[in-house]
Amino acid sequence: MSRVLIVEDELAIAELEKDYLELSSFEVEIETDGEKGLKLGLTEDFDMVILDIMLPGIDGFEICKQLREKKDIPILMVSAKKEDIDKIRGLGLGADDYITKPFSPSELVARVKAHLERYRRLVSSNCQENDVVEIRGLKIDKTARRVYLNGEEKAFTTKEFDLLTFLASHPNRVFTKEELFNKIWDMESLGDIATVTVHIKKIREKIELNTAKPQYIETIWGVGYRFKM
């Protein structure tokens, strides 16, 4: 049974989320305080964290940042705000997805299931020999899920690694944002394709010497993105 941690200061909302997740056979714990939620997330084993942004003690952005430094599990951020800047900031700190209140509990459950299923497939893949892609100083170890640039390891979130690996595995082919979103996030009708743009930006900051003139991931204006061999 997958364990989900909900960090949400509005207890009524947290309990509603918990009820729907438990009906789908998840084990759920709730924490309403930011600092206690961070401690619980760092010290106990959870398969996913649902994280509100506005919290007493410490906000969701800081919790996300600290969790991502120690954990590779999916993080879904929740907010009552609709501003894109919050979404971009949350994704930039390592969140895998972002949902805005109000939302239907069934949509929440669908997103949780999709993220956990993809995460399980990734961590359960086991190869005898590491599958490695090397291109002009960039080394992507698919098996170990590690990325190196000129011998220096770069830290990648789950979705950043998945997106980079997918593009590098299909060099010189142009993919639209919609195609990348559907492939990497496994959700054709949920979420926001702006997520792809944010993740591409974060990847470029880690592997490109000059993000204005990328040598690995090219923008094909009006179409999408291409990994250049």
Side-chain angles (χ1 to χ4, degrees):
M1 182 180 293
S2 296
R3 295 187 73 208
V4 177
L5 172 62
I6 298 174
V7 186
E8 166 67 68
D9 63 329
E10 296 186 55
L11 189 57
I13 293 177
E15 289 180 340
L16 179 62
E17 294 172 352
K18 179 179 180 180
D19 288 344
Y20 272 81
L21 287 168
E22 287 182 339
L23 286 173
S24 297
S25 300
F26 291 101
E27 180 183 337
V28 182
E29 289 197 36
I30 294 173
E31 183 51 67
T32 58
D33 178 80
E35 292 181 356
K36 292 179 180 178
L38 174 60
K39 182 178 179 180
L40 194 61
L42 289 174
T43 57
E44 294 198 20
D45 292 327
F46 290 97
D47 299 289
M48 185 167 181
V49 176
I50 300 173
L51 180 60
D52 190 32
I53 290 180
M54 303 301 293
L55 293 164
I58 181 173
D59 68 24
F61 292 125
E62 182 62 26
I63 295 174
C64 179
K65 178 184 176 182
Q66 293 194 39
L67 282 177
R68 185 52 74 215
E69 290 174 353
K70 303 292 184 180
K71 305 268 187 172
D72 196 29
I73 59 175
I75 298 174
L76 171 62
M77 298 200 77
V78 180
S79 176
K81 296 183 178 181
K82 293 182 171 59
E83 288 84 355
D84 286 341
I85 189 65
D86 286 326
K87 182 183 300 184
I88 292 170
R89 184 180 177 190
L91 294 171
L93 288 171
D96 296 277
D97 201 359
Y98 185 105
I99 189 169
T100 304
K101 298 176 184 176
F103 52 83
S104 69
S106 58
E107 179 186 356
L108 176 72
V109 173
R111 293 200 189 200
V112 169
K113 286 182 176 180
H115 283 294
L116 285 174
E117 179 59 30
R118 181 164 187 83
Y119 182 72
R120 286 194 198 98
R121 291 202 305 268
L122 291 171
V123 298
S124 64
S125 58
N126 214 357
C127 302
Q128 290 185 344
E129 294 184 6
N130 284 19
D131 186 3
V132 177
V133 175
E134 292 192 64
I135 303 170
R136 300 188 305 278
L138 179 65
K139 177 181 176 181
I140 306 169
D141 188 331
K142 298 181 183 179
T143 309
R145 296 184 61 80
R146 304 176 81 172
V147 179
Y148 302 86
L149 182 64
N150 298 323
E152 179 184 353
E153 185 171 3
K154 301 291 183 177
F156 275 68
T157 68
T158 300
K159 288 296 185 289
E160 288 170 0
F161 182 89
D162 294 345
L163 183 54
L164 174 63
T165 301
F166 178 76
L167 287 169
S169 299
H170 301 83
N172 298 326
R173 177 178 169 183
V174 180
F175 292 94
T176 66
K177 294 177 184 178
E178 290 82 2
E179 287 174 327
L180 292 173
F181 184 82
N182 294 341
K183 182 67 179 179
I184 303 303
W185 278 264
D186 275 355
M187 294 174 287
E188 294 187 4
S189 60
L190 300 176
D192 187 344
I193 62 170
T195 299
V196 175
T197 304
V198 173
H199 280 70
I200 290 289
K201 178 177 182 294
K202 299 302 293 185
I203 292 170
R204 282 174 171 165
E205 290 173 352
K206 295 175 182 181
I207 67 172
E208 300 287 0
L209 296 178
N210 183 353
T211 57
K213 296 180 180 179
Q215 62 170 319
Y216 296 110
I217 300 178
E218 297 179 304
T219 297
I220 309 302
W221 297 108
V223 184
Y225 300 99
R226 174 177 63 196
F227 192 95
K228 184 172 65 174
M229 285 294 289

